[in-house]
Amino acid sequence: KTVFEIGTYNGFTTLHFAYNTTEDAIIYTLDLPTDYEITTKGNKSNYSYDDFLVVELSKQNINRRIFKKDKCGGKIKELFGDSMSFDFSPYFGKIDLVFIDGNHSYPFVRSDTENAFKMLSDSGVIIWHDFDYIIHRDVFKYLNSLIKTHRIYHVPGTRFAIFGKKLT
């Protein structure tokens, strides 16, 4: 009933969450504000090579996101901020699904994941996008470091990894 997406981009995945949840579900989606500048707000080394392009495209298309005029758009609550400094505490223990597809660099993947674990409800699930060792090596590297303490599964044939408190 409660989804938290980190990294909105064009809102396509956000809209999928809206269509595939109950009528009373809430989908929170966090993305950078339009005035965010990588060069002034953070260290460029904290961004993977493809994040630069995605940030610019996301900012340019923020008002044309796919869910803006859709019938399910009312279930979606847009949030703006840098996930490294965003206050996630109001969501701790309340989120059934956290979808991580924001900045792909190691420090951000680690921070987003740590916050995701805190946000999970008792039956919550985390899904990471871009779990691959060719393009998004930091996502792959960080999640593989977690397997010592958490059961994280790769979904075969995809670039998804998943953790669930009740998955075995």
Side-chain angles (χ1 to χ4, degrees), residues 24-85:
D24 59 341
I26 299 173
I27 294 87
Y28 298 99
T29 185
L30 175 67
D31 210 3
L32 295 169
T34 56
D35 62 350
Y36 187 86
E37 294 294 331
I38 290 175
T39 56
T40 59
K41 298 270 184 172
N43 182 338
K44 280 189 176 185
S45 66
N46 285 341
Y47 292 83
S48 68
Y49 78 95
D50 63 337
D51 287 330
F52 291 106
L53 177 61
V54 170
V55 167
E56 289 308 311
L57 289 172
S58 181
K59 288 176 6 179
Q60 290 171 19
N61 294 300
I62 201 165
N63 293 318
R64 292 187 296 251
R65 289 188 169 151
I66 195 166
F67 57 79
K68 293 283 187 177
K69 295 180 180 178
D70 193 274
K71 65 181 180 181
C72 287
K75 295 166 62 171
I76 298 167
K77 309 294 182 207
E78 286 184 282
L79 305 170
F80 297 98
D82 182 331
S83 69
M84 189 70 83
S85 57

Side-chain angles (χ1 to χ4, degrees), residues 1 8 15 19 23 26-27 38 40 44 57 68 73 77 80 83 88 92 95 103 105 136 138 152 163 165 168:
K1 290 203 171 204
T8 311
L15 188 59
Y19 268 89
E23 209 172 291
I26 299 173
I27 294 87
I38 290 175
T40 59
K44 280 189 176 185
L57 289 172
K68 293 283 187 177
K77 309 294 182 207
F80 297 98
S83 69
F88 289 95
F92 287 178
I95 306 298
N103 185 314
S105 69
H136 301 97
D138 284 355
I152 296 175
F163 167 85
K165 289 184 174 185
T168 56

